[in-house]
Amino acid sequence: MLRNCELRAALERSFDHLVHSSVADDPVEVNRHRGFIASHLISGFAAFGLIPPALAVDASSAGFTATTLSVLGLEILVALFVSRTGRLAQGFLLSAAILTILAVWVALHTGGLGSFAVVWFAIAPIEAALSGRRSTVTGAALISGAGFLLTAALTATGEAGHNLAFAGDNTTMSFLACVIALGYASGVAISIERRERATSLSIARQEQRYRLLAEAMSDLVTCHNPSGDVTFASPAAMRLLSVRPADLVAEGLFRRVHIGDRPAYLSAISVALHQGAARVEYRLRCGEEQDTDGWIWVESHMRHLADEQGDDAVVTVTRDISERKRHEAELENLRVDSEAANLAKTRFLANMSHELRTPLNAIIGFSDILNQELFGKFEFDRQREYSGLIKESGEHLLQVVNDILDLSKIECGSFDVNPEAFRVGPLVDRCRQMMAPQAEKAGIALTCDIEPNLPELVADPRACRQIVLNLLSNAVKFSNRGGLVVCSVRRQGRRMAIAVRDNGIGIAEPDLCRVGSPFFQAETGYDRKQAGTGLGLSVVKGLVALHGGQVMIDSDLGKGTTVTVLLPMQPSRDGVEPISRVLDIDQIQRVARRA
C-alpha cells in the first residue's frame, strides 16, 4: 500500500512542471490543473497508441476507427493549452467540445439515437464539474446538448440510416468504442472522487489547525449573531473567565458584562455590523454568576463577517487589560498629584513674590533718598558706596521677583495678551536706549539693524518690550568687554523676526536643549562670572508662546549666540481688535521645545 502511494505521488510530481505559474501559490488550483493535464495527456496518447492494434484486428473499419481515436487524441492539445495559458475553464470547454464531436461521430455510424454512444453526451458535463465553476458546467452542458440535438435531427432525417448495417456487422469496432467510453468515464469518476477526498482532507486539516490555534490562544474568541448573542466561544473562556465555553453561549456573555458597560458593549456590536470594525473596553465578571467581586477589565476587537449564505455575524477577540488599566489609573493619580504640586508651587512663588515686592520697594526708595543725600551729607565715602550697593541689590532682587511673577502668571494661564497695531522699529530702538547705560558700563557696543518700511505688528507692545529687553539683557550679560550686540528686525513672510546676536561666551551643545527652562543657566557652579537666575529666557519663551510665535536659538561655544523670535504679523482675523489669549503651561512648553 505504501509502495503504491509513493508511486502515485512520484507520478503526480512528474506533471508539476506543466502547471502554469499563475496558480503556483494555490495548492487547490495546482491540484486541479495537474489532474486535468495528466488525465488528458494520458487519454490522448492512449488513443493514438490504440490505432495500430485496432487496424490490425479489423481492417474493414480502418477509416472509422482511425478517425474516432484521432479525435480523442486531440485531448493532448487541450492539455498543452491549459499548461501554457493556465485557463482551466476554457480547457474544460474545449474538452467538452471534443467529447461531443466524438459522440456525434460514433453515434451517426452506430445507429443514431439508438447507438451506445449517446450516453457519451453526459460525460462532458460530468467532467466539467471538476472545474468547480458553475459557468463551466453550464457551458459544457450546452455543448453536449447541441451535439445531442444534432444527432437527433440527423437520425430523424435518415442521414444516419445508411450506416446502420455497417454498425451491426462491426462488433469489434463497437466493443472498442465501449471500452474507450468506459475507461474515460472511469477516469472522470476517479478524478471526482480524488478531488472530493482531497477537499475533505484539506477542510479537516484547516479545522484542526484552527482548533489548535483557538485552544492555544490566551485571548477569548467569540462569534455573535446580529442581536449580540454568542454562537461560538473558544476554549480560552476557561483561562480568561474561569467558565466553560458553553456558559457564554446565547446571553451568557452579555449577563457577565458590567451593567454600566452594557450600552457601550451593544453599541460596539452595532458599529461592527454596520461599519465593519469596532473596539470597546468594558468590565466582565469572572467565575460563577453569584460572584460579584471578580471583575476584570477587557478589551474587545470586533469585526463584521458574512458567511456563504449571506448571514451577518460579528467575530470578537477579547483580552484581559486589567493590568494596563491599573497602570493607567496609577499614572493618572501621579499626573493629578504632579499638577497639584506644580500649581501649589506656582501659587507659593506668586504669593511670596507679592509679599517681597512691598519691602523691596521701600528698600529701593529709601536707599535712593540716602544716595541723593536729601537729609544730610555722608560723613564717609564708604557710606555712599554702601547705600548704592543696597539700591542696586534691591533693584536686582525686584527684577527677579518680577520675573517670577511673570513666569507664574504664564504657567497659571493668567497672563493676558492684549494685541494692538504698533511699529516694531521704534520699540526696539527704545529698548536699545534703555539698555545702553548697562552696555556702556560693561564695555559692550549695542546697535540696531532694522529693515526699513516694516509693516505694523499686531501684538502686545508691553510683552514685546519685555521680550526685547530680556534678550538684550542676556546678550550684554554674557558678552565679554569689547564685544558687540546687534538687535535686528526683519520681515519673514507673514511673520516678524526679531533677532539678538552677540559674540559672547556661547552655549555648549548639550545645554541647548535645556536653555529656557526656569532657573537653568548654561554656566553653572559657584564660580560663574554672570549673575542671574535663569528666568529671563523662560519668560521670553512663555510670552512668545502666548502670541503663537516661535523661539529659535543658534549658538557656538566661545563664538556667540543668536536668539531669533518669530511673531505672526496678524494673530487673528479681527486685526487690531483687542483680544485676550491665555495658554496653559503644556502649550507653552510644547512651543518652547521647538527651539
Side-chain angles (χ1 to χ4, degrees):
M1 182 65 178
L2 181 61
R3 183 64 177 173
N4 293 336
C5 293
E6 293 178 353
L7 290 176
R8 187 177 63 185
L11 182 62
E12 290 179 350
R13 287 195 297 269
S14 64
F15 291 97
D16 285 345
H17 67 283
L18 296 176
V19 177
H20 196 263
S21 59
S22 61
V23 298
D25 297 333
D26 190 345
V28 176
E29 287 298 321
V30 168
N31 187 46
R32 289 177 179 176
H33 281 242
R34 182 176 57 202
F36 182 90
I37 294 172
S39 62
H40 286 71
L41 283 177
I42 293 173
S43 62
F45 282 114
F48 282 120
L50 288 175
I51 293 178
L55 295 179
V57 172
D58 188 2
S60 62
S61 60
F64 173 78
T65 303
T67 302
T68 301
L69 293 177
S70 297
V71 172
L72 186 60
L74 294 177
E75 296 286 1
I76 297 175
L77 299 179
V78 177
L80 294 178
F81 169 80
V82 175
S83 175
R84 294 290 179 254
T85 63
R87 300 176 180 177
L88 184 60
Q90 289 84 342
F92 276 108
L93 294 178
L94 291 175
S95 179
I98 292 174
L99 290 176
T100 301
I101 293 173
L102 180 63
V104 171
W105 171 259
V106 174
L108 291 178
H109 289 79
T110 57
L113 290 179
S115 171
F116 62 86
V118 174
V119 297
W120 290 9
F121 291 112
I123 296 178
I126 295 175
E127 183 191 29
L130 292 172
S131 66
R133 298 179 181 178
R134 183 178 301 176
S135 60
T136 304
V137 176
T138 303
L142 292 176
I143 293 174
S144 297
F148 177 79
L149 292 177
L150 176 62
T151 302
L154 294 176
T155 301
T157 58
E159 294 293 332
H162 63 281
N163 294 322
L164 295 177
F166 166 76
D169 298 336
N170 199 337
T171 57
T172 302
M173 182 270 300
S174 299
F175 174 76
L176 182 61
C178 289
V179 170
I180 294 174
L182 180 61
Y184 199 92
S186 299
V188 172
I190 292 173
S191 298
I192 293 176
E193 186 276 332
R194 287 189 59 195
R195 178 192 165 190
E196 292 299 325
R197 184 174 57 183
T199 302
S200 300
L201 182 60
S202 177
I203 293 174
R205 288 176 178 175
Q206 290 181 358
E207 289 180 351
Q208 180 67 18
R209 188 181 302 113
Y210 293 147
R211 185 179 299 108
L212 292 175
L213 182 62
E215 292 176 355
M217 286 182 61
S218 59
D219 297 343
L220 174 63
V221 180
T222 54
C223 186
H224 306 253
N225 60 22
S227 63
D229 292 342
V230 176
T231 58
F232 166 81
S234 68
M238 183 60 68
R239 291 189 291 271
L240 183 67
L241 301 175
S242 300
V243 296
R244 298 175 305 166
D247 295 334
L248 302 181
V249 176
E251 296 182 355
L253 180 61
F254 178 76
R255 288 197 300 266
R256 292 180 174 275
V257 178
H258 193 279
I259 190 171
D261 299 332
R262 289 180 180 179
Y265 171 79
L266 295 176
S267 176
I269 294 179
S270 177
V271 170
L273 281 171
H274 295 89
Q275 300 182 11
R279 188 189 73 87
V280 62
E281 296 179 359
Y282 55 96
R283 287 161 289 182
L284 278 178
R285 185 179 61 250
C286 296
E288 301 297 332
E289 294 187 5
Q290 293 78 12
D291 186 6
T292 58
D293 297 328
W295 295 99
I296 62 171
W297 275 98
V298 297
E299 177 185 55
S300 292
H301 292 266
M302 302 179 177
R303 287 192 175 277
H304 174 255
L305 181 68
D307 57 19
E308 296 180 354
Q309 288 74 27
D311 296 332
D312 292 325
V314 174
V315 176
T316 301
V317 178
T318 304
R319 65 181 53 184
D320 187 355
I321 60 169
S322 299
E323 190 69 15
R324 191 184 78 189
K325 281 291 186 179
R326 186 177 64 81
H327 289 313
E328 289 178 357
E330 292 178 355
L331 289 175
E332 179 64 19
N333 293 334
L334 290 175
R335 186 188 65 83
V336 172
D337 293 343
S338 177
E339 289 182 353
N342 185 63
L343 182 60
K345 179 264 299 180
T346 303
R347 289 176 177 174
F348 171 76
L349 291 176
N351 293 333
M352 289 300 298
S353 300
H354 279 292
E355 294 297 328
L356 289 173
R357 292 181 71 175
T358 301
L360 280 176
N361 286 327
I363 293 172
I364 294 171
F366 289 128
S367 62
D368 187 45
I369 293 175
L370 292 176
N371 281 335
Q372 296 179 19
E373 300 181 358
L374 297 178
F375 297 102
K377 299 291 183 178
F378 287 116
E379 184 177 355
F380 302 102
D381 293 337
R382 183 163 293 183
Q383 292 175 333
R384 185 179 296 104
E385 178 185 357
Y386 287 168
S387 177
L389 290 175
I390 293 173
K391 179 183 178 182
E392 291 178 2
S393 300
E395 290 176 344
H396 173 70
L397 185 56
L398 182 60
Q399 182 61 42
V400 172
V401 171
N402 288 333
D403 288 342
I404 293 176
L405 277 176
D406 292 337
L407 189 62
S408 299
K409 289 180 180 180
I410 293 173
E411 290 183 351
C412 288
S414 60
F415 194 105
D416 293 335
V417 176
N418 299 306
E420 61 181 67
F422 67 95
R423 295 195 174 274
V424 181
L427 182 141
V428 172
D429 187 64
R430 176 57 182 163
C431 293
R432 180 194 63 80
Q433 295 176 10
M434 294 173 63
M435 291 299 302
Q438 180 179 342
E440 183 179 355
K441 183 178 179 180
I444 298 170
L446 183 58
T447 62
C448 290
D449 181 14
I450 302 174
E451 180 182 339
N453 301 322
L454 285 174
E456 291 184 336
L457 174 66
V458 179
D460 190 330
R462 179 177 59 89
C464 292
R465 184 182 302 108
Q466 188 170 355
I467 291 172
V468 176
L469 286 175
N470 284 3
L471 293 180
L472 290 176
S473 176
N474 281 346
V476 171
K477 185 186 304 180
F478 293 100
S479 295
N480 298 320
R481 181 171 292 274
L484 174 65
V485 175
V486 179
C487 182
S488 60
V489 184
R490 294 285 186 273
R491 179 177 182 178
Q492 292 186 2
R494 297 182 178 180
R495 297 189 297 182
M496 189 75 70
I498 304 174
V500 176
R501 183 181 71 255
D502 64 70
N503 55 2
I505 62 176
I507 303 172
E509 183 70 23
D511 293 332
L512 275 176
C513 60
R514 298 182 59 193
V515 170
S517 300
F519 304 103
F520 173 79
Q521 286 185 310
E523 186 183 7
T524 58
Y526 294 104
D527 58 344
R528 56 187 175 88
K529 300 177 182 180
Q530 290 77 16
T533 59
L535 292 174
L537 194 55
S538 300
V539 174
V540 169
K541 286 190 173 184
L543 294 175
V544 172
L546 291 176
H547 285 81
Q550 183 179 359
V551 179
M552 298 183 296
I553 303 176
D554 183 17
S555 181
D556 289 329
L557 189 62
K559 296 182 180 179
T561 303
T562 301
V563 181
T564 304
V565 173
L566 299 176
L567 297 175
M569 303 281 292
Q570 295 287 341
S572 68
R573 295 182 179 179
D574 296 330
V576 299
E577 182 180 349
I579 61 174
S580 178
R581 182 179 182 186
V582 178
L583 300 182
D584 59 25
I585 185 61
D586 292 333
Q587 292 173 294
I588 296 170
Q589 291 176 348
R590 283 197 298 270
V591 176
R593 278 195 294 268
R594 297 176 186 173

